[in-house]
Amino acid sequence: MRSGLLRHKVQLQKPAKSRDSYGGEGVSWTSDSALWVQIHPMRGDEYFDAQNVQSKATHKIRMRYQTLSSGGELHPQCRIKHGSRYFYFAGPPINVEERDRMLEVLCWEST
C-alpha cells in the first residue's frame, strides 16, 4: 500500500477495568500507541452474522502489519480514536492476503 493512503493519525486504545469504592465495575480507556491508518467508510450496510449476533460495520480501517510488533496487541476489545471520533472493532483484525503487510479491521463508529 502506498504510504500516502495512510493519512489519518489515530490512537489505539485498550480497555482497563476498574472497581469503584462501592464494588461497581467501570471501564477506562488508555492510549497504547499512535498509528497511521486509512479510514474508509463502507457503502451501504454490511452485516456479519456470527453465532446469531449481528454487527454493523460502518468503516474499514487499514494499517501496516508491523504495528502489531511496534506498539501493542490488536484484539476485538480495542478501539481507535481519531480526533473526537471513536471506532470499535466489529471483529478481529484481518491479515490481508496472509502476506504480513497490511491489517484490515472492520469497525463501527459510536454516535
Side-chain angles (χ1 to χ4, degrees):
M1 170 176 266
R2 297 184 324 223
S3 62
L5 296 176
L6 303 176
R7 66 180 191 269
H8 301 101
K9 189 171 185 177
V10 300
Q11 291 288 324
L12 176 65
Q13 296 185 330
K14 292 183 178 179
K17 292 184 180 179
S18 61
R19 290 196 178 267
D20 61 14
S21 59
Y22 298 106
E25 285 191 5
V27 176
S28 60
W29 294 90
T30 58
S31 292
D32 187 48
S33 58
L35 309 170
W36 288 96
V37 301
Q38 175 190 23
I39 300 175
H40 178 72
M42 299 173 90
R43 294 181 208 196
D45 291 335
E46 293 188 16
Y47 292 95
F48 303 95
D49 191 15
Q51 299 176 359
N52 297 328
V53 177
Q54 290 185 343
S55 299
K56 183 177 179 181
T58 59
H59 291 76
K60 188 184 306 183
I61 297 179
R62 295 187 87 166
M63 62 192 78
R64 294 193 199 289
Y65 185 82
Q66 64 264 22
T67 57
L68 278 177
S69 59
S70 67
E73 168 184 339
L74 289 175
H75 52 82
Q77 291 78 30
C78 292
R79 75 177 182 184
I80 292 176
K81 180 180 185 228
H82 180 247
S84 62
R85 300 167 68 188
Y86 294 96
F87 297 95
Y88 295 88
F89 290 18
I94 300 165
N95 185 358
V96 178
E97 297 178 1
E98 296 293 324
R99 297 182 72 189
D100 295 342
R101 291 186 179 173
M102 297 301 296
L103 289 174
E104 188 172 88
V105 182
L106 299 174
C107 299
W108 55 274
E109 184 176 6
S110 68
T111 54

